[in-house]
Amino acid sequence: MSFFGFDEKNLESEKRRFLEDAARGAQEENLAVYTWGEDSYDGLGDALQEGDDELNDETFGGAGEVGKDFDFSGTALPGDSRTKPSEPANAQSLPRYQVVEQPATRTVQSNQPSRTNHSLESVWDDKSPFSVLPRMNGADRTAEHAHQPAKASTFATAPSQHSNLHQSIGLSLGGNAHKGVRTLEEIEAEMLAAAAARQMQLHAQAQAEAQAQAQAQTQALPQSLSQAQLTQAQLSQAQMRAQPPRQGTPQHGLTPPPRMHPHSQSPRFHQQQQQHQIHILQLQQLQQQQQQQRLLELQEQRERQQQQQLRELQQQLRMEELERQRQLRLQQMQAGAASHLQSQAIHQRHGSLSPSLSDRNLRRGQSPAMMNPRAQMEAPFQQSMQYLPQDIQLQQRLLAEMAQAEFMNNMQAGVQSEREAREEREMQEVLRQEAMRKIMEAEKSEEKRRRKLAKIAQARYNDLMTQSDKDFITRIQVSQLVTQDPYADDFYAQVYSALLRSRLGVQPEDERVLKFGSAGGVGLGFGQKGPGRRQTAMQRMEAQVERIVQNARLREKEKTSLNSLQGALGKTSGRSYKAAPRQLLQVDSTSPSLSPAHAHISKADVTPPRDGAGATREAANIGRRALRTTGDGEVTVRKEPLTQREALMILERLYDLVLDIEQHKREEVPTEEEEAHTAWSEHLSYLTDQLWKGLQVSVILETSEPHPFVSLLTPIKGKRLLPRVARHLGSDQLRILLTLILACFTQLDVVKHAPILDSLHDTRERREVEDQTQTFVGSVVQTLLPLIAKTDMHMTRAYLGILTDRPDAVNVLRTGPGIALITLFLSRVAVLKQNMATATEASEIPPPEELAAWQEQLDHLFEIVGPHILTLFPSVRIGIVSGLGFANVPNADVLDQPVWQFLASLAVHANSEQQSLLVTALREVILELVSSVHKGWDIDPEERKTRLNNINLFLHALGLDASQITV
Amino acid sequence: MDSAASGIQEPFDLIRLSLSERVFVKLRGDRELTGVLHAYDGHMNLILSDVEETIMIVDQVEGSANGQNTVNIAKRKIDMLFVRGDGVILVSPPLRT
């Protein structure tokens, strides 16, 4: 334990030397050493008294009153501290008188050894880091002393004060120095000895006290003089002791020092705190012990006074003292590591060993000095550490902790057994390692943080902008974002986020739009997925924007009242950044409901629909006419078909309408506000009506070839429009739409251009048709799917009839969409038949004539399909066109799959005769495919699997399996 | 219906009709594009998909008279393309057969 600069050997030798010096000094200089109440007092003081005793009576007038006052040790203990000031004042009046009379040489001389003592002590103390506090206290003490006598004395002259001051300093310091070298162990030993001695002397004590009182008049004047001064010094010391904790370390009682704050977050700090608490507990125990010691010492001191009178006992005590010192040395050798304990003990003994203080401690229970052992401990640390770089501080703290741990070990070592101590030490070791680790971590993060801070601090343009500047810029930026219709202006982000959310299955929250009343708002894009810095940044931005807009609105209000400034001096700026930029082009929009870009697409473009007929009747009409296949001379106004550009224009208008409807639906008024709600729904129905009319579905079939609606379906965006339109249409309207599509099926571009697909040449045209076909199946057929899934048998039969009762029905079957639709109808009927088998209610069973009609329809289909079964397969058609074998056509199985599905669904409905017809027609194909699968021509397993699946699809419908076929 | 009645007010209305249709775009620097138009703006910036770009490279033969140039045509295909408006000379629907 040498990190405090302590060297125990030094300590020991120093102490020894010091003791010897003191003894020698006392012997050599007869006059000066005032060692009253010390165990090493050799009674020289007694010799001093011999002189002018007779004058005492003259000087003080009477001896009677003096008596008890000088027995400070007797009165100090039980008495109140408040009475004290008066006592020393009394006492001072005596000695000072004497000091004045007696030459100053005595005091000067008496100062010398005490000074050497002092210097010795300071040398001693300098080696300890704790020396900071006591030294400071010492310095303060002198200052206090300088005040104290001045206040106390009423008549003292300046030189007397001076000498008195010196004396008191010398005395107090000398006494302290003498005591300061004693260690805790020493005190303990003393205690033991004293306890033994006291037992013996208890009876003698009372007697001695009485004797002391009696002697006070005659014998003990110088003694009482020095005692009085001593008491005064002790008193002031006691005051000092009470003060330093408050003065020196005020932060402990009130607020933690500033540099403690960052550490309050670190885990290490808590540990430190814990250790501190343990430490405090132990220190309190120590303190209690010390208190007891002080008590005992007090008595001891009293004893020592008696020793002066009871010399025979003194002899014995000296023997004990010698013994004690020998023990002390031994103990010090053992407890060498507890160096700072020692130093601490020294500090505490500096003042607190005086009887008056121990009195106070006793009476208050806990003196400030006792309350703040930690303060005493820490104050020097922190004071010294504040000036050190943090790294060193950390190390020092670590060292201090280690020292504390060591100290605790030593403390416990004396009390606990060796084993316990070892366990304790191991635990301490673990704790220390843990602490070490945490310190390292803390250091690292601290380092990082500091580097960052340094970087920030060194940035060149720090604090260039004030908060209002920043707000100003944000306002400008936000003002660019605020729009009348935040949703529409942020449309794609909004829709995309809605799609994302629905795909992720997240509850669709309200639109991510900040609305500011009716004035406008800011679109916020779509929400971020995970939480994170961006998320919080976004939230902060939202809050900020809201605040800014709020402020802006307030300012706007103020601005209206700004007109009151009219006539005021100075220039008021009317325009600001908020003024809208000057528009380069100012185009008058004809209808405000439309955006200027397409306002031209007027309603006149849309052919006015035939009014009157209800939707269902319309559908029935179309169906009837389609079924009859020939118009019965009904007069219709024939028109030229829509040109491409007209169709596109109508489509643009329809898209606008759809968007309007979607927007209108988002702005749904709650049903509570009846009036507004009816207005809203009226407008909605108006818009949907416009949409329906715009689609031109109700235009009679013969109006043009192709039908206007078919013209609208021709561009790819027309096909894509249908699913969006369908959402806003009723099921009746959709049924009409389906009927129309079926009736005009051959007019559709995908049907007309289907032969283009039967080629292997990758032309742009083919790609275009392929795209269109895919879009048609994906959009139009998908839209109609749920509708078909709900039709009854009659309607299904009607639909199938519309599709197939035409001379070129085979062409329909040779298209992807056609095959898909017919397959849909067939499977729908299959489902209906199944339901019929399990149906319990008569209403669900279609009438027999209906079934017969269905069978009739099916027979018709067979008639159409029968001769052309093979050419239904795209692969076969491609094979014919390109001259390849159908099995060699690339990707044939995928192309043929819908056809196999169609054949399978056909086979389900077929009777045995028809089934055999199907099998005969397909026999060759199936055999070739199966053999190709088995022989494993150059086809990969994936392809083979699809091929087998295709065949099985059909064969399973017949109750067969591909594995049954042997090639 | 005639174009006056249809009330086409500004040229961009015609481009609008070609949205999500295949268009032909002529560019400065002897380049041509065909692609599906997805978006446009007032600067005639365009976003096209499935684009085929045709670049005419005119090689002037050294020492020969004017008109002796040979024209090489380079073609490339791009899935999605942003065309900056300042290079656009014309936008038209592709010629229909």
Side-chain angles (χ1 to χ4, degrees):
Chain A
M1 287 294 256
S2 58
F3 34 71
F4 291 127
F6 259 96
D7 194 334
E8 19 179 322
K9 257 192 188 160
N10 237 352
L11 185 83
E12 190 57 28
S13 61
E14 201 87 63
K15 185 192 168 195
R16 213 178 303 130
R17 195 146 38 84
F18 166 68
L19 280 172
E20 281 164 11
D21 275 357
R24 217 182 305 126
Q27 279 164 5
E28 282 167 7
E29 296 172 75
N30 294 337
L31 295 176
V33 183
Y34 289 89
T35 48
W36 315 106
E38 292 292 342
D39 39 16
S40 61
Y41 175 61
D42 55 1
L44 280 172
D46 290 358
L48 276 174
Q49 300 174 352
E50 300 307 328
D52 305 317
D53 265 2
E54 301 88 332
L55 292 173
N56 283 348
D57 284 345
E58 272 183 46
T59 314
F60 299 113
E65 299 99 308
V66 182
K68 254 222 155 173
D69 289 341
F70 293 99
D71 189 10
F72 296 113
S73 53
T75 51
L77 182 62
D80 193 347
S81 65
R82 299 208 176 269
T83 63
K84 284 243 155 143
S86 67
E87 281 175 343
N90 261 344
Q92 273 169 9
S93 63
L94 281 177
R96 207 164 287 123
Y97 204 76
Q98 275 236 327
V99 168
V100 174
E101 277 189 351
Q102 293 205 338
T105 52
R106 189 174 111 182
T107 52
V108 170
Q109 279 172 341
S110 73
N111 272 339
Q112 273 173 342
S114 62
R115 257 190 201 152
T116 55
N117 283 349
H118 180 41
S119 66
L120 266 176
E121 184 208 34
S122 52
V123 166
W124 187 287
D125 277 342
D126 267 348
K127 293 183 179 178
S128 151
F130 302 102
S131 62
V132 180
L133 183 63
R135 277 263 288 271
M136 224 176 63
N137 288 351
D140 281 357
R141 219 179 290 148
T142 45
E144 277 283 322
H145 281 304
H147 288 297
Q148 188 77 23
K151 267 188 269 170
S153 71
T154 49
F155 60 93
T157 57
S160 77
Q161 268 191 21
H162 188 70
S163 62
N164 202 357
L165 174 65
H166 272 286
Q167 248 180 345
S168 60
I169 296 163
L171 277 169
S172 63
L173 287 178
N176 281 333
H178 192 78
K179 285 199 170 185
V181 289
R182 292 161 63 201
T183 62
L184 182 66
E185 285 84 358
E186 199 182 346
I187 295 159
E188 271 177 68
E190 221 172 24
M191 271 166 58
L192 287 170
R198 201 183 47 192
Q199 286 290 328
M200 294 199 308
Q201 295 168 359
L202 261 176
H203 64 282
Q205 206 171 340
Q207 196 186 351
E209 273 184 24
Q211 234 178 341
Q213 281 174 28
Q215 278 181 354
Q217 296 170 12
T218 57
Q219 206 180 11
L221 195 59
Q223 183 189 349
S224 57
L225 157 88
S226 57
Q227 270 199 348
Q229 283 174 341
L230 188 66
T231 319
Q232 186 198 356
Q234 282 166 347
L235 181 67
S236 54
Q237 271 178 18
Q239 284 170 348
M240 278 309 299
R241 293 301 295 172
Q243 280 165 357
R246 269 178 276 125
Q247 289 173 346
T249 61
Q251 58 265 65
H252 279 279
L254 306 167
T255 53
R259 58 162 290 280
M260 291 290 280
H261 283 303
H263 291 283
S264 61
Q265 283 124 22
S266 78
R268 196 183 148 276
F269 177 71
H270 293 296
Q271 205 188 351
Q272 207 183 4
Q273 280 285 31
Q274 275 182 339
Q275 284 198 351
H276 269 313
Q277 280 167 3
I278 296 166
H279 191 185
I280 288 165
L281 270 175
Q282 293 194 341
L283 275 170
Q284 277 176 350
Q285 286 175 357
L286 174 69
Q287 205 75 29
Q288 281 173 2
Q289 282 177 5
Q290 284 177 343
Q291 204 178 333
Q292 286 172 349
Q293 284 166 22
R294 278 184 220 117
L295 237 179
L296 289 169
E297 272 181 328
L298 189 68
Q299 288 168 341
E300 213 180 342
Q301 273 191 334
R302 228 184 280 156
E303 282 161 23
R304 276 187 220 120
Q305 285 179 346
Q306 289 157 10
Q307 276 170 23
Q308 295 160 16
Q309 295 138 9
L310 305 167
R311 309 240 164 155
E312 64 274 10
L313 278 170
Q314 204 179 31
Q315 201 69 26
Q316 191 193 338
L317 272 170
R318 284 202 173 197
M319 290 291 285
E320 280 174 358
E321 167 93 48
L322 277 172
E323 173 74 10
R324 206 164 56 219
Q325 283 191 353
R326 203 162 49 81
Q327 281 178 350
L328 162 71
R329 259 161 234 147
L330 270 170
Q331 279 168 346
Q332 275 185 339
M333 295 286 271
Q334 289 166 352
S339 55
H340 79 267
L341 163 67
Q342 280 182 350
S343 56
Q344 194 195 353
I346 290 164
H347 305 317
Q348 286 178 346
R349 225 170 294 128
H350 267 300
S352 63
L353 283 182
S354 68
S356 57
L357 178 67
S358 48
D359 270 358
R360 285 178 171 208
N361 288 354
L362 248 184
R363 257 174 264 122
R364 289 193 200 160
Q366 281 182 322
S367 80
M370 222 172 77
M371 285 280 280
N372 291 307
R374 183 173 139 224
Q376 282 187 0
M377 279 286 296
E378 279 188 356
F381 260 83
Q382 281 159 7
Q383 278 168 1
S384 59
M385 272 153 66
Q386 267 168 353
Y387 308 104
L388 293 169
Q390 276 188 325
D391 284 10
I392 302 172
Q393 277 187 17
L394 274 169
Q395 282 174 358
Q396 291 244 336
R397 232 177 292 129
L398 174 65
L399 287 176
E401 262 172 38
M402 285 167 71
Q404 281 175 13
E406 201 86 29
F407 162 69
M408 275 150 66
N409 273 347
N410 280 322
M411 282 290 295
Q412 285 151 356
V415 187
Q416 290 170 340
S417 71
E418 193 73 18
R419 191 178 50 79
E420 277 175 327
R422 212 185 308 122
E423 281 174 7
E424 193 74 18
R425 227 170 291 136
E426 279 164 13
M427 224 175 72
Q428 295 279 346
E429 187 61 35
V430 171
L431 273 174
R432 202 178 308 151
Q433 279 173 355
E434 180 76 3
M436 202 52 158
R437 198 176 54 76
K438 279 179 180 163
I439 288 169
M440 295 300 278
E441 278 174 19
E443 249 175 282
K444 246 181 237 168
S445 63
E446 180 76 2
E447 174 74 16
K448 209 170 151 192
R449 194 180 63 81
R450 239 181 306 125
R451 239 182 295 133
K452 210 171 171 186
L453 275 179
K455 237 180 239 173
I456 291 169
Q458 282 165 14
R460 211 168 133 203
Y461 300 113
N462 264 358
D463 302 325
L464 207 62
M465 287 171 77
T466 63
Q467 189 55 44
S468 64
D469 287 342
K470 290 172 192 165
D471 282 350
F472 180 70
I473 285 174
T474 319
R475 261 203 307 278
I476 292 173
Q477 287 170 340
V478 167
S479 73
Q480 302 296 314
L481 294 175
V482 175
T483 57
Q484 284 299 311
D485 188 354
Y487 187 92
D489 284 1
D490 201 16
F491 180 78
Y492 290 101
Q494 296 291 345
V495 171
Y496 179 58
S497 72
L499 284 175
L500 258 191
R501 265 182 263 127
S502 69
R503 201 172 301 160
L504 290 171
V506 185
Q507 195 64 31
E509 39 187 309
D510 35 322
E511 292 137 16
R512 300 206 23 95
V513 166
L514 265 187
K515 289 221 174 182
F516 311 120
S518 56
V522 176
L524 295 172
F526 50 93
Q528 304 298 318
K529 271 160 234 165
R533 218 206 296 204
R534 270 198 75 167
Q535 179 89 20
T536 52
M538 280 297 290
Q539 281 168 354
R540 232 178 308 129
M541 199 279 275
E542 278 171 45
Q544 203 181 3
V545 164
E546 227 158 346
R547 184 168 54 83
I548 286 167
V549 170
Q550 208 73 31
N551 289 345
R553 211 174 291 153
L554 282 176
R555 225 171 297 117
E556 207 65 39
K557 259 179 217 162
E558 276 172 28
K559 197 162 269 179
T560 55
S561 64
L562 204 84
N563 295 332
S564 61
L565 282 175
Q566 243 174 3
L569 291 177
K571 188 183 171 190
T572 54
S573 154
R575 287 176 73 86
S576 72
Y577 62 90
K578 263 182 286 186
R582 193 169 58 88
Q583 280 186 316
L584 286 170
L585 292 173
Q586 296 194 328
V587 183
D588 295 326
S589 57
T590 45
S591 77
S593 67
L594 295 170
S595 61
H598 49 275
H600 62 277
I601 304 171
S602 62
K603 289 164 198 168
D605 293 347
V606 183
T607 316
R610 241 173 40 148
D611 52 316
T616 28
R617 217 174 69 203
E618 197 101 14
N621 272 344
I622 295 167
R624 202 180 332 113
R625 262 177 271 131
L627 281 169
R628 264 188 239 135
T629 62
T630 51
D632 52 358
E634 203 174 323
V635 181
T636 52
V637 185
R638 285 201 69 89
K639 276 186 180 176
E640 285 295 301
L642 293 176
T643 61
Q644 167 87 1
R645 197 215 277 173
E646 282 166 346
L648 288 171
M649 280 206 248
I650 293 167
L651 278 175
E652 287 304 314
R653 195 179 136 62
L654 287 177
Y655 266 107
D656 281 342
L657 264 175
V658 168
L659 289 175
D660 278 350
I661 290 170
E662 282 172 359
Q663 175 73 14
H664 192 66
K665 279 192 172 175
R666 271 194 301 274
E667 288 164 356
E668 182 171 352
V669 180
T671 41
E672 290 90 65
E673 302 165 43
E674 268 181 46
E675 214 166 294
H677 188 74
T678 40
W680 175 84
S681 51
E682 264 174 30
H683 187 64
L684 181 67
S685 61
Y686 167 76
L687 286 174
T688 42
D689 199 39
Q690 287 288 309
L691 185 68
W692 180 244
K693 283 173 185 166
L695 282 173
Q696 311 207 25
V697 175
S698 306
V699 176
I700 43 172
L701 270 176
E702 289 79 17
T703 307
S704 63
E705 171 79 29
H707 189 271
F709 179 70
V710 174
S711 295
L712 292 181
L713 276 184
T714 305
I716 203 161
K717 52 183 164 183
K719 294 183 180 73
R720 287 194 186 124
L721 177 67
L722 205 63
R724 293 179 75 171
V725 169
R727 256 179 272 153
H728 309 295
L729 296 178
S731 57
D732 275 348
Q733 289 171 320
L734 279 178
R735 223 166 280 143
I736 296 166
L737 205 135
L738 171 61
T739 316
L740 183 63
I741 289 172
L742 294 176
C744 305
F745 202 75
T746 48
Q747 298 174 6
L748 289 169
D749 62 324
V750 285
V751 178
K752 269 197 233 166
H753 300 142
I756 297 173
L757 290 173
D758 298 336
S759 96
L760 283 173
H761 299 290
D762 184 26
T763 60
R764 183 178 293 163
E765 214 176 9
R766 187 181 182 279
R767 246 184 297 136
E768 173 81 21
V769 175
E770 209 174 290
D771 269 359
Q772 294 278 10
T773 310
Q774 267 177 18
T775 312
F776 186 84
V777 174
S779 303
V780 180
V781 177
Q782 284 294 315
T783 311
L784 300 174
L785 199 71
L787 194 70
I788 293 167
K790 273 185 236 159
T791 50
D792 58 4
M793 192 169 266
H794 173 74
M795 279 310 282
T796 316
R797 185 180 62 82
Y799 289 146
L800 189 63
I802 297 168
L803 206 54
T804 53
D805 288 351
R806 60 179 83 218
D808 51 355
V810 179
N811 288 339
V812 173
L813 281 168
R814 281 181 186 156
T815 64
I819 282 274
L821 278 173
I822 292 172
T823 312
L824 270 175
F825 293 137
L826 288 176
S827 50
R828 172 66 190 158
V829 174
V831 169
L832 281 173
K833 275 186 180 172
Q834 262 186 355
N835 285 354
M836 214 167 62
T838 56
T840 48
E841 285 180 51
S843 64
E844 288 180 32
I845 303 167
E849 60 265 26
E850 191 62 49
L851 277 173
W854 169 251
Q855 199 57 47
E856 205 178 300
Q857 191 69 48
L858 206 67
D859 291 343
H860 180 65
L861 185 62
F862 266 103
E863 278 170 32
I864 301 165
V865 168
H868 305 287
I869 282 185
L870 282 180
T871 53
L872 290 182
F873 291 102
S875 62
V876 173
R877 293 199 301 268
I878 292 171
I880 291 165
V881 169
S882 61
L884 281 168
F886 66 89
N888 295 340
V889 171
N891 218 14
D893 302 299
V894 178
L895 289 173
D896 289 347
Q897 195 167 24
V899 182
W900 285 114
Q901 270 171 347
F902 163 70
L903 289 174
S905 54
L906 194 62
V908 168
H909 293 288
N911 54 31
S912 56
E913 194 188 320
Q914 288 161 336
Q915 278 184 355
S916 64
L917 185 87
L918 279 174
V919 170
T920 322
L922 290 170
R923 184 193 194 91
E924 296 274 308
V925 176
I926 291 169
L927 280 178
E928 190 171 341
L929 288 177
V930 169
S931 70
S932 77
V933 166
H934 285 303
K935 278 175 192 164
W937 288 348
D938 47 336
I939 51 169
D940 57 82
E942 194 69 26
E943 212 174 320
R944 193 180 303 173
K945 205 175 153 195
T946 4
R947 191 166 288 187
L948 263 182
N949 279 346
N950 280 347
I951 297 163
N952 275 335
L953 211 62
F954 172 66
L955 290 180
H956 285 174
L958 297 171
L960 297 169
D961 194 275
S963 55
Q964 292 170 317
I965 298 168
T966 50
V967 184
Chain B
M1 92 192 59
D2 58 349
S3 62
S6 71
I8 289 175
Q9 289 176 336
E10 53 178 273
F12 278 133
D13 291 348
L14 289 172
I15 297 181
R16 183 185 153 91
L17 294 182
S18 294
L19 278 173
S20 76
E21 292 283 292
R22 193 161 279 278
V23 291
F24 170 82
V25 182
K26 194 174 178 186
L27 295 173
R28 283 150 71 145
D30 301 320
R31 285 157 197 257
E32 285 167 1
L33 302 172
T34 53
V36 177
L37 178 69
H38 285 286
Y40 69 94
D41 66 6
H43 304 287
M44 211 93 98
N45 294 327
L46 308 171
I47 290 172
L48 302 173
S49 75
D50 192 18
V51 188
E52 189 180 85
E53 185 180 15
T54 310
I55 308 164
M56 254 80 81
I57 304 163
V58 182
D59 288 328
Q60 190 138 30
V61 182
E62 287 282 330
S64 63
N66 284 347
Q68 288 267 305
N69 300 336
T70 57
V71 176
N72 289 326
I73 292 175
K75 285 194 176 186
R76 59 172 177 158
K77 293 195 172 182
I78 303 127
D79 277 346
M80 190 67 86
L81 188 70
F82 175 90
V83 183
R84 189 169 149 81
D86 65 351
V88 176
I89 293 171
L90 74 85
V91 179
S92 86
L95 298 172
R96 301 231 164 220
T97 50

